[in-house]
Amino acid sequence: MFNSGHCTDCTTCGSCQQAPNVDTPTLFCMHCPPSEAPCLKACKQNAIEVLGGAITINGEKCNLCRDCVEVCPINVIKI
């Protein structure tokens, strides 16, 4: 778990692994290189996207199947 000393438990980056208080899936991860990210490969809806080098979930495409959750090596995907 990353702790910069400035964490406010906002759940935006996923590093704190706190459950977000939202109704949409959340992910902003820079742990895996996009070319090797298992969540990106597992998503049949193409809802896992790369945004500026970070891996994110497009909530409009996500069908909440949790395939990405099952393969995440650091368990930061919250659905």
Side-chain angles (χ1 to χ4, degrees):
M1 178 183 335
F2 175 77
N3 184 351
S4 70
H6 301 289
C7 181
T8 62
D9 293 325
C10 67
T11 70
T12 301
C13 72
S15 294
C16 65
Q17 300 184 22
Q18 298 293 318
N21 294 322
V22 293
D23 294 328
T24 56
T26 60
L27 175 66
F28 185 88
C29 182
M30 297 185 81
H31 179 266
C32 299
S35 63
E36 299 174 16
C39 61
L40 192 68
K41 296 174 183 178
C43 183
K44 296 173 188 81
Q45 301 298 317
N46 295 316
I48 307 290
E49 300 174 345
V50 179
L51 178 65
I55 298 170
T56 64
I57 295 179
N58 181 327
E60 293 180 10
K61 292 181 180 180
C62 180
N63 68 357
L64 306 176
C65 70
R66 300 182 52 85
D67 288 345
C68 58
V69 174
E70 300 300 320
V71 298
C72 180
I74 58 172
N75 301 311
V76 297
I77 302 174
K78 307 299 180 192
I79 294 180

